[in-house]
Tab-separated table of all heavy atoms in Angstrom:
chain	number	residue	atom	x	y	z
R	83	HIS	N	117.255	21.465	-38.971
R	83	HIS	CA	117.322	20.072	-39.337
R	83	HIS	C	115.987	19.352	-39.181
R	83	HIS	O	115.879	18.156	-38.880
R	83	HIS	CB	118.345	19.354	-38.453
R	83	HIS	CG	119.700	19.688	-38.848
R	83	HIS	ND1	120.330	20.932	-38.509
R	83	HIS	CD2	120.788	19.025	-39.510
R	83	HIS	CE1	121.541	21.012	-38.956
R	83	HIS	NE2	121.805	19.937	-39.542
R	84	GLY	N	114.920	20.121	-39.419
R	84	GLY	CA	113.649	19.501	-39.638
R	84	GLY	C	112.682	19.469	-38.506
R	84	GLY	O	111.521	19.071	-38.530
R	85	TYR	N	113.092	19.984	-37.303
R	85	TYR	CA	112.246	19.930	-36.045
R	85	TYR	C	111.240	21.013	-36.213
R	85	TYR	O	111.444	22.164	-36.817
R	85	TYR	CB	113.096	20.222	-34.844
R	85	TYR	CG	113.754	19.006	-34.377
R	85	TYR	CD1	114.843	18.464	-35.096
R	85	TYR	CD2	113.579	18.346	-33.139
R	85	TYR	CE1	115.513	17.269	-34.521
R	85	TYR	CE2	114.216	17.386	-32.680
R	85	TYR	CZ	115.235	16.825	-33.380
R	85	TYR	OH	115.974	15.637	-32.916
R	86	ARG	N	110.074	20.809	-35.488
R	86	ARG	CA	109.177	21.915	-35.249
R	86	ARG	C	109.202	22.199	-33.694
R	86	ARG	O	109.057	21.441	-32.871
R	86	ARG	CB	107.730	21.465	-35.601
R	86	ARG	CG	106.607	22.490	-35.180
R	86	ARG	CD	105.266	22.040	-35.692
R	86	ARG	NE	104.176	22.811	-35.068
R	86	ARG	CZ	103.895	24.070	-35.288
R	86	ARG	NH1	104.494	24.707	-36.275
R	86	ARG	NH2	102.849	24.615	-34.710
R	87	ASN	N	109.528	23.479	-33.426
R	87	ASN	CA	109.793	23.873	-32.029
R	87	ASN	C	108.818	24.941	-31.684
R	87	ASN	O	108.349	25.737	-32.352
R	87	ASN	CB	111.218	24.557	-31.890
R	87	ASN	CG	112.371	23.590	-32.207
R	87	ASN	OD1	112.686	22.768	-31.304
R	87	ASN	ND2	112.932	23.708	-33.319
R	88	ARG	N	108.312	24.800	-30.347
R	88	ARG	CA	107.435	25.707	-29.815
R	88	ARG	C	108.141	26.284	-28.525
R	88	ARG	O	108.734	25.426	-27.812
R	88	ARG	CB	106.101	25.196	-29.421
R	88	ARG	CG	105.354	24.493	-30.480
R	88	ARG	CD	103.985	24.080	-30.064
R	88	ARG	NE	103.317	23.186	-30.975
R	88	ARG	CZ	103.049	21.876	-30.752
R	88	ARG	NH1	103.459	21.328	-29.651
R	88	ARG	NH2	102.362	21.158	-31.721
R	89	VAL	N	107.938	27.563	-28.110
R	89	VAL	CA	108.408	28.090	-26.872
R	89	VAL	C	107.242	28.486	-25.982
R	89	VAL	O	106.385	29.128	-26.476
R	89	VAL	CB	109.405	29.241	-27.100
R	89	VAL	CG1	109.790	30.023	-25.810
R	89	VAL	CG2	110.737	28.822	-27.899
R	90	TYR	N	107.316	28.078	-24.747
R	90	TYR	CA	106.273	28.468	-23.788
R	90	TYR	C	107.082	29.166	-22.619
R	90	TYR	O	107.989	28.672	-21.977
R	90	TYR	CB	105.617	27.213	-23.213
R	90	TYR	CG	104.720	26.545	-24.205
R	90	TYR	CD1	105.275	25.625	-25.164
R	90	TYR	CD2	103.358	26.923	-24.239
R	90	TYR	CE1	104.324	24.930	-26.037
R	90	TYR	CE2	102.545	26.274	-25.262
R	90	TYR	CZ	102.960	25.282	-26.006
R	90	TYR	OH	102.294	24.615	-26.882
R	91	PHE	N	106.514	30.399	-22.332
R	91	PHE	CA	107.071	31.149	-21.217
R	91	PHE	C	106.439	30.641	-19.837
R	91	PHE	O	105.196	30.469	-19.725
R	91	PHE	CB	106.743	32.608	-21.251
R	91	PHE	CG	107.523	33.265	-22.416
R	91	PHE	CD1	107.121	34.472	-22.918
R	91	PHE	CD2	108.778	32.812	-22.738
R	91	PHE	CE1	107.801	35.239	-23.851
R	91	PHE	CE2	109.595	33.497	-23.708
R	91	PHE	CZ	109.118	34.667	-24.250
R	92	TYR	N	107.370	30.488	-18.804
R	92	TYR	CA	106.863	30.252	-17.504
R	92	TYR	C	107.038	31.628	-16.775
R	92	TYR	O	108.134	31.947	-16.367
R	92	TYR	CB	107.629	29.142	-16.719
R	92	TYR	CG	107.247	28.872	-15.321
R	92	TYR	CD1	105.838	28.540	-15.093
R	92	TYR	CD2	108.129	28.932	-14.362
R	92	TYR	CE1	105.421	28.299	-13.780
R	92	TYR	CE2	107.737	28.611	-13.072
R	92	TYR	CZ	106.444	28.307	-12.703
R	92	TYR	OH	105.986	28.008	-11.455
R	93	ASN	N	105.985	32.366	-16.731
R	93	ASN	CA	106.027	33.851	-16.402
R	93	ASN	C	105.597	34.157	-15.085
R	93	ASN	O	104.404	34.696	-14.724
R	93	ASN	CB	105.158	34.599	-17.497
R	93	ASN	CG	105.492	36.141	-17.478
R	93	ASN	OD1	106.255	36.663	-16.571
R	93	ASN	ND2	104.965	36.756	-18.489
R	94	VAL	N	106.424	33.748	-13.991
R	94	VAL	CA	105.986	33.903	-12.634
R	94	VAL	C	105.781	35.344	-12.264
R	94	VAL	O	104.964	35.776	-11.507
R	94	VAL	CB	107.135	33.277	-11.629
R	94	VAL	CG1	106.755	33.544	-10.215
R	94	VAL	CG2	107.120	31.835	-11.970
R	95	GLN	N	106.750	36.329	-12.851
R	95	GLN	CA	106.642	37.697	-12.484
R	95	GLN	C	105.476	38.484	-13.218
R	95	GLN	O	105.353	39.625	-12.953
R	95	GLN	CB	108.035	38.304	-12.841
R	95	GLN	CG	109.183	37.707	-12.291
R	95	GLN	CD	109.220	37.846	-10.776
R	95	GLN	OE1	108.595	38.633	-10.170
R	95	GLN	NE2	110.021	36.961	-10.148
R	96	ARG	N	104.705	37.776	-14.094
R	96	ARG	CA	103.627	38.328	-14.819
R	96	ARG	C	104.134	39.463	-15.801
R	96	ARG	O	103.515	40.517	-15.938
R	96	ARG	CB	102.495	38.888	-13.857
R	96	ARG	CG	102.019	37.819	-12.970
R	96	ARG	CD	101.310	36.697	-13.662
R	96	ARG	NE	100.750	35.773	-12.622
R	96	ARG	CZ	100.273	34.625	-12.932
R	96	ARG	NH1	100.216	34.202	-14.179
R	96	ARG	NH2	99.769	33.796	-12.073
R	97	GLY	N	105.309	39.279	-16.344
R	97	GLY	CA	105.840	40.389	-17.308
R	97	GLY	C	105.035	40.364	-18.512
R	97	GLY	O	104.298	39.471	-18.889
R	98	ASP	N	105.208	41.425	-19.307
R	98	ASP	CA	104.466	41.602	-20.493
R	98	ASP	C	104.930	40.634	-21.583
R	98	ASP	O	106.101	40.588	-21.931
R	98	ASP	CB	104.584	43.039	-21.017
R	98	ASP	CG	103.824	43.274	-22.337
R	98	ASP	OD1	102.662	43.239	-22.312
R	98	ASP	OD2	104.602	43.491	-23.304
R	99	HIS	N	103.988	39.759	-21.974
R	99	HIS	CA	104.395	38.635	-22.849
R	99	HIS	C	104.890	39.195	-24.192
R	99	HIS	O	105.875	38.605	-24.678
R	99	HIS	CB	103.142	37.668	-23.165
R	99	HIS	CG	103.485	36.543	-24.051
R	99	HIS	ND1	103.737	35.352	-23.537
R	99	HIS	CD2	103.372	36.453	-25.357
R	99	HIS	CE1	103.972	34.455	-24.512
R	99	HIS	NE2	103.748	35.145	-25.679
R	100	ALA	N	104.182	40.154	-24.722
R	100	ALA	CA	104.657	40.669	-25.966
R	100	ALA	C	106.024	41.239	-26.031
R	100	ALA	O	106.820	41.156	-26.962
R	100	ALA	CB	103.667	41.730	-26.547
R	101	TYR	N	106.314	41.876	-24.885
R	101	TYR	CA	107.632	42.490	-24.722
R	101	TYR	C	108.715	41.397	-24.821
R	101	TYR	O	109.838	41.548	-25.494
R	101	TYR	CB	107.729	43.308	-23.415
R	101	TYR	CG	109.058	43.826	-23.041
R	101	TYR	CD1	109.473	44.920	-23.629
R	101	TYR	CD2	109.831	43.140	-22.037
R	101	TYR	CE1	110.762	45.442	-23.287
R	101	TYR	CE2	111.042	43.677	-21.653
R	101	TYR	CZ	111.520	44.791	-22.285
R	101	TYR	OH	112.636	45.333	-21.934
R	102	TYR	N	108.528	40.386	-24.105
R	102	TYR	CA	109.610	39.274	-23.987
R	102	TYR	C	109.600	38.438	-25.291
R	102	TYR	O	110.681	37.974	-25.720
R	102	TYR	CB	109.457	38.365	-22.757
R	102	TYR	CG	109.830	39.115	-21.482
R	102	TYR	CD1	108.863	39.646	-20.573
R	102	TYR	CD2	111.215	39.326	-21.158
R	102	TYR	CE1	109.179	40.321	-19.437
R	102	TYR	CE2	111.566	40.066	-20.054
R	102	TYR	CZ	110.568	40.509	-19.170
R	102	TYR	OH	110.900	41.230	-18.018
R	103	GLU	N	108.429	38.218	-25.893
R	103	GLU	CA	108.485	37.648	-27.190
R	103	GLU	C	109.188	38.292	-28.242
R	103	GLU	O	109.880	37.689	-29.097
R	103	GLU	CB	106.888	37.458	-27.617
R	103	GLU	CG	106.811	36.641	-28.870
R	103	GLU	CD	105.395	36.473	-29.404
R	103	GLU	OE1	104.430	36.829	-28.564
R	103	GLU	OE2	105.175	36.153	-30.543
R	104	SER	N	109.142	39.646	-28.109
R	104	SER	CA	109.972	40.462	-29.152
R	104	SER	C	111.513	40.196	-29.051
R	104	SER	O	112.134	40.142	-30.078
R	104	SER	CB	109.728	42.007	-28.952
R	104	SER	OG	110.392	42.418	-27.713
R	105	PHE	N	111.997	39.838	-27.885
R	105	PHE	CA	113.385	39.487	-27.633
R	105	PHE	C	113.663	38.156	-28.264
R	105	PHE	O	114.713	37.869	-28.809
R	105	PHE	CB	113.828	39.619	-26.226
R	105	PHE	CG	113.935	40.972	-25.760
R	105	PHE	CD1	113.058	41.349	-24.670
R	105	PHE	CD2	114.668	42.003	-26.347
R	105	PHE	CE1	113.184	42.638	-24.105
R	105	PHE	CE2	114.654	43.385	-25.862
R	105	PHE	CZ	114.008	43.645	-24.772
R	106	VAL	N	112.711	37.153	-27.957
R	106	VAL	CA	112.888	35.826	-28.563
R	106	VAL	C	113.087	35.907	-30.088
R	106	VAL	O	113.811	35.246	-30.648
R	106	VAL	CB	111.770	34.894	-28.192
R	106	VAL	CG1	111.680	33.709	-28.976
R	106	VAL	CG2	111.843	34.597	-26.664
R	107	ARG	N	112.309	36.892	-30.732
R	107	ARG	CA	112.365	36.890	-32.140
R	107	ARG	C	113.518	37.721	-32.666
R	107	ARG	O	114.259	37.287	-33.609
R	107	ARG	CB	111.018	37.439	-32.628
R	107	ARG	CG	109.844	36.651	-32.177
R	107	ARG	CD	108.661	36.743	-33.156
R	107	ARG	NE	107.561	36.029	-32.617
R	107	ARG	CZ	107.376	34.700	-32.584
R	107	ARG	NH1	108.335	33.894	-33.107
R	107	ARG	NH2	106.247	34.092	-32.184
């Protein structure tokens, strides 16, 4: 419905960003 959304990880455990981004997608 026309929004522009951005997602930001709060990654306290320092997990692999690319790994979790793949699930988001």
Side-chain angles (χ1 to χ4, degrees):
H83 288 77
Y85 280 66
R86 173 174 167 76
N87 295 283
R88 308 186 190 111
V89 169
Y90 289 89
F91 287 156
Y92 183 53
N93 195 351
V94 174
Q95 306 292 342
R96 307 295 183 188
D98 180 64
H99 181 92
Y101 174 77
Y102 288 105
E103 181 180 348
S104 70
F105 290 123
V106 166
R107 304 208 183 282

